Amino acid sequence: MPQEDWQLALKQSLTSVRHLADYFEFDASELETVESRYPMRISPYYLGLIEHVGDPIWKQCVPDILELEDSGLDDPLAEEDFSPTPAVIHRYPDRVIFLVSGSCAGYCRFCTRKRKVGCADMALSFRELRDGIDYIAANTQIRDVIFSGGDPLLLPDSVLQDLLARVHAIPHVEMIRIGTRVPVTLPERITERLCVLLKKFQPIYINTHFNHPRELTQQARNACSRLADAGIVLGNQTVLLRGVNDHADTIGELFRGLLRMRVRPYYLHHMDLTRGTSHFRTSVKTGLQIMHSLRGPVSGLASPHYVIDLPKGKGKVPLVPQYVKRKGETLFIHAEDGSVVEYPDVVDD
């Protein structure tokens, strides 16, 4: 079968800092050690978004020597402890993560699974995928299956359709979610054929992963429009990254732009404690200040949950700015303009 345009583009991706040095001036030699430990892949499309060394796009996809100077955790969310089979992570009673792919169109330098994404031990066999489906089918409390990886949309259409069909046919599975970054890094993957395929398995939800306004290109808009026109509900999970998007103006522009693309901001993630990523981590104070700044100037539709995914698999916890103080039956509430408004309340018995 002839390869599709997106598959050809993926083959043309940069996987070596030596080749990246053909496009930008930097010392590639010091980054080869990083690349040998944590793989690099940059699609031709995403490469074209880099304007200069060290810009917000560069930082997300190009190895950094700081990745080797970190004492974080290889598996910060204890996913291995919650994996009854190699393809399944079961942390919450009613939902599971189904790991269907081991590779991505671009290897994010801040990835929670950077210990294995793009590596040989992330490649799942057909038997392991079937074992995962059997596990989901045998556990009737599972209502929500999240296709993840790697990137599920890097699977060929035929393989993706087979996996979706098998999961969709399980009576107690009520919905399927797909976590993907291809609208950001490889938008040509979102073909009309793919959208027709996905539409067969409603209700289906897709969470994208835009982190910076410069990723909201016309190609990305077109990709998201095709998905939305197919009746797929689109959300976005942004990671708060030092030197990339850790300013209120940047986040506000990103979230407003996403709404224009029919993508609802869903989560703003505080950086996980992943080994090799501490240089991206901001303070929680910074995240709370950004969330506070969104209230008023930005529509409530563009205000996601700011969350920390706790270590040891303890789950996501929302973090919110403190707006309310109580004195007796009176609340003192901080308004958007900075004033404090007294509000009468009742005291529960």
Side-chain angles (χ1 to χ4, degrees):
M1 179 181 294
Q3 290 193 316
E4 297 187 59
D5 290 345
W6 68 269
Q7 292 171 314
L8 295 173
L10 195 63
K11 280 192 169 183
Q12 296 166 3
S13 297
L14 291 182
T15 58
S16 164
V17 290
R18 286 286 180 184
H19 292 156
L20 184 62
D22 294 338
Y23 298 86
F24 300 95
E25 289 189 16
F26 69 100
D27 184 2
S29 60
E30 71 170 5
L31 300 183
E32 288 182 311
T33 304
V34 185
E35 175 195 300
S36 65
R37 180 171 178 181
Y38 301 120
M40 183 189 87
R41 176 186 278 171
I42 308 172
S43 68
Y45 163 80
Y46 203 65
L47 177 67
L49 301 187
I50 300 174
E51 294 180 352
H52 57 81
V53 173
D55 76 2
I57 308 300
W58 175 282
K59 288 183 177 180
Q60 292 185 71
C61 63
V62 177
D64 190 312
I65 196 67
L66 294 175
E67 295 176 45
L68 302 180
E69 300 175 4
D70 190 13
S71 58
L73 304 173
D74 284 329
D75 183 11
L77 307 182
E79 291 182 335
E80 308 294 346
D81 295 338
F82 291 88
S83 294
T85 72
V88 170
I89 302 168
H90 194 177
R91 282 199 296 173
Y92 301 99
D94 67 338
R95 54 201 182 275
V96 297
I97 294 173
F98 186 26
L99 301 173
V100 299
S101 170
S103 59
C104 297
Y107 294 131
C108 301
R109 311 318 300 176
F110 49 86
C111 180
T112 294
R113 299 188 188 117
K114 71 181 296 172
R115 68 190 184 276
K116 60 180 183 178
V117 169
C119 301
D121 62 356
M122 185 67 175
L124 293 158
S125 68
F126 177 76
R127 181 68 263 169
E128 287 171 328
L129 292 172
R130 288 297 301 271
D131 287 346
I133 293 169
D134 289 344
Y135 176 86
I136 295 167
N139 287 268
T140 57
Q141 78 273 31
I142 296 171
R143 298 183 295 108
D144 179 1
V145 177
I146 304 161
F147 280 51
S148 186
D151 198 309
L153 296 190
L154 283 198
L155 295 173
D157 287 352
S158 58
V159 177
L160 181 62
Q161 176 164 308
D162 179 70
L163 293 174
L164 286 169
R166 291 177 187 275
V167 172
H168 190 263
I170 297 172
H172 54 266
V173 172
E174 298 176 1
M175 63 179 178
I176 293 172
R177 287 189 272 172
I178 296 175
T180 179
R181 208 173 185 222
V182 297
V184 185
T185 57
L186 192 71
E188 54 264 58
R189 171 62 181 114
I190 309 300
T191 63
E192 293 295 344
R193 178 180 171 183
L194 174 67
C195 293
V196 169
L197 183 163
L198 295 173
K199 193 173 182 178
K200 298 175 183 177
F201 304 105
Q202 300 282 18
I204 195 163
Y205 299 80
I206 285 182
N207 275 327
T208 61
H209 188 175
F210 292 90
N211 287 326
H212 194 275
R214 277 189 21 219
E215 295 171 337
L216 306 181
T217 65
Q218 188 60 53
Q219 295 95 317
R221 291 187 188 95
N222 292 343
C224 290
S225 290
R226 284 191 284 273
L227 291 167
D229 288 346
I232 296 164
V233 180
L234 299 175
N236 187 74
Q237 302 191 70
T238 293
V239 179
L240 185 60
L241 301 167
R242 180 186 295 274
V244 174
N245 59 13
D246 55 335
H247 293 282
D249 290 346
T250 303
I251 289 291
E253 182 183 352
L254 172 65
F255 289 172
R256 287 191 296 269
L258 285 168
L259 283 187
R260 291 194 296 272
M261 291 167 50
R262 292 185 281 174
V263 180
R264 173 78 183 272
Y266 175 50
Y267 279 141
L268 175 63
H269 280 279
H270 195 73
M271 268 294 304
D272 292 333
L273 301 175
T274 309
R275 190 184 306 279
T277 67
S278 65
H279 54 293
F280 284 115
R281 200 164 298 124
T282 70
S283 67
V284 169
K285 179 181 177 182
T286 294
L288 290 172
Q289 287 174 336
I290 288 173
M291 292 303 298
H292 186 275
S293 73
L294 297 180
R295 192 168 64 96
V298 177
S299 165
L301 286 171
S303 294
H305 298 288
Y306 174 41
V307 296
I308 283 182
D309 211 340
L310 296 175
K312 300 182 180 181
K314 296 296 184 180
K316 295 182 181 69
V317 175
L319 304 176
V320 296
Q322 297 300 309
Y323 297 115
V324 180
K325 292 184 179 180
R326 173 187 290 277
K327 187 175 182 181
E329 295 186 3
T330 302
L331 301 180
F332 297 86
I333 303 175
H334 289 262
E336 184 271 327
D337 63 4
S339 63
V340 178
V341 178
E342 294 186 23
Y343 188 91
D345 191 23
V346 297
V347 177
D348 294 330
D349 295 333

